Structure formats: structure tokens, C-alpha cells
């Protein structure tokens, strides 16, 4: 990579945390976008130095846009939007619609994500095969990681404000949730 690197963002999606890097050559007009170290967009000799670059991130092809705005003279500001929202707003909303757990199983770091709206479960970028069932106090969604029995229990908190509480159990042991 050249010395034109002007922006680096970490974006947590269901299939993993993606690193987005942006190069902007203000003398050549060059724009290059890398996701997880792989070049996905390259534009050379762009005469318009401000504007937008839109691309997709992750296995769900989440829409991302880098905005290039002139601040003063030859100074520029670079902002990242995910699904039309600022990265900060997107991540705040995301924490409301997903639960994330980080754990180590058999020496392997695992990142388990529950998408509450679809009840899809992801582990290290792979969508898991699940089996759901209704139980006396809520629901249980079962899946397997390596040779470990996993279950996400969903039970009512009893308080309208708190809603439903999701708990990950691995071989019957509760795993603490992570905030990203």
C-alpha cells in the first residue's frame, strides 16, 4: 500500500469483523478500497476529488459508502456509511438487533452472532444449521460447534423495556455476552 492511506475502519457484521482501508491520492485522484487486505475498488486519474465510493462488505453484501468531502483548501474528510447510516449509528442499531459472544473452543477462537430479527446464528463467518423448539419458559435454538452442543435460550425478562433475554449455553455452560 502507498502513502495515500487516509481511512481505516473496523466494521462488525454477522459474518465477522471486516477491516476497510481507503487510499485517496489527492494529486492523482486515485481511489483504492481494500477489505480485509484485498483490493476491491481501484480508480485512477479521477479528476473530481470529492464524491462517494459505494461497495459491498461481507457475505451478506452489506452496502457501504465512503464519502469524500472537502473541508478547506486541500484538506479532506472521509466518512464511512453502512446501509445508509453513519458507522456509529449503524453499530449502535446493530447492538440492538444482534447478540455476540466470543469464546474459545478446543483452542479455536469463536465469534457467535445471533441476528434477533431472523434468529440466524453465525460462527466465524459461517451461517449455522439450527433447530428451534418451544420450551416452557421461551424458545431454544440448538446448533453444534465442533463436537460441542450449543443452545441459545430466549426467555422473557418480564419487563417490557428489557424485552427478551438471549443466553448462549455451550455444553450446558453459560457464556457471557460481548459488546462490540
Amino acid at each position: 500500500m502507498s502513502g495515500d492511506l487516509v481511512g481505516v475502519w473496523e466494521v462488525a457484521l454477522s459474518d465477522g469483523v471486516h477491516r476497510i482501508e481507503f487510499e485517496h491520492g489527492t494529486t492523482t485522484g486515485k481511489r483504492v478500497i481494500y477489505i480485509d487486505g484485498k483490493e476491491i475498488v481501484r480508480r485512477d486519474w479521477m479528476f473530481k476529488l470529492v464524491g462517494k465510493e459505494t461497495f459491498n462488505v461481507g457475505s451478506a453484501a452489506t452496502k457501504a459508502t465512503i464519502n469524500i468531502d472537502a473541508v478547506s483548501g486541500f484538506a479532506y474528510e472521509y466518512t464511512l456509511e453502512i446501509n445508509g447510516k453513519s458507522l456509529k449509528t449503524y453499530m449502535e442499531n446493530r447492538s440492538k438487533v444482534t447478540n455476540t459472544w466470543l469464546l474459545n473452543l478446543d483452542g479455536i477462537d469463536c465469534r457467535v452472532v445471533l441476528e434477533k430479527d431472523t434468529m440466524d446464528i453465525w460462527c466465524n463467518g459461517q451461517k449455522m444449521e439450527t433447530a428451534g423448539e418451544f420450551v416452557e419458559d421461551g424458545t431454544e435454538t440448538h446448533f453444534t460447534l465442533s463436537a460441542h452442543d450449543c443452545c441459545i435460550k430466549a426467555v422473557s425478562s418480564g419487563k417490557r423495556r428489557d424485552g427478551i433475554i438471549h443466553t448462549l449455553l455451550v455444553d450446558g455452560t453459560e457464556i457471557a455476552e460481548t459488546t462490540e
Side-chain angles (χ1 to χ4, degrees), residues 113-180:
V113 178
L114 166 68
E115 293 180 349
K116 295 182 210 175
D117 53 351
T118 60
M119 292 306 286
D120 287 339
I121 298 172
W122 295 75
C123 181
N124 294 349
Q126 299 295 313
K127 193 171 172 184
M128 306 303 295
E129 285 289 324
T130 62
E133 66 176 322
F134 290 101
V135 292
E136 190 175 315
D137 55 351
T139 64
E140 292 182 355
T141 305
H142 298 272
F143 60 103
T144 306
L145 287 177
S146 310
H148 298 275
D149 291 323
C150 303
C151 170
I152 294 181
K153 291 182 70 96
V155 296
S156 172
S157 64
K159 299 181 187 109
R160 190 161 180 224
R161 226 167 151 32
D162 297 339
I164 296 172
I165 297 170
H166 296 88
T167 308
L168 173 64
L169 302 170
V170 177
D171 296 329
T173 304
E174 185 174 326
I175 306 297
E177 187 179 345
T178 305
T179 54
E180 292 187 307

Side-chain angles (χ1 to χ4, degrees), residues 7 19-20 26 52 63 80 99 123 150 153 173:
R19 181 181 174 93
I20 298 172
T26 55
K52 299 176 184 250
K63 183 181 166 198
L80 179 68
N99 289 74
C123 181
C150 303
K153 291 182 70 96
T173 304

Side-chain angles (χ1 to χ4, degrees), residues 71-86:
V71 181
S72 65
F74 290 102
Y76 298 89
E77 181 180 73
Y78 307 93
T79 54
L80 179 68
E81 292 179 358
I82 304 293
N83 282 341
K85 297 181 178 84
S86 73

Side-chain angles (χ1 to χ4, degrees), residues 62-118:
T62 303
K63 183 181 166 198
T65 302
I66 295 174
N67 296 305
I68 308 157
D69 297 303
V71 181
S72 65
F74 290 102
Y76 298 89
E77 181 180 73
Y78 307 93
T79 54
L80 179 68
E81 292 179 358
I82 304 293
N83 282 341
K85 297 181 178 84
S86 73
L87 180 59
K88 182 178 185 281
T89 302
Y90 176 79
M91 295 314 285
E92 287 168 355
N93 289 348
R94 185 166 168 69
S95 68
K96 295 173 189 163
V97 296
T98 62
N99 289 74
T100 304
W101 296 270
L102 299 176
L103 60 146
N104 189 299
L105 284 180
D106 306 325
I108 298 168
D109 288 332
C110 297
R111 180 176 178 270
V112 177
V113 178
L114 166 68
E115 293 180 349
K116 295 182 210 175
D117 53 351
T118 60

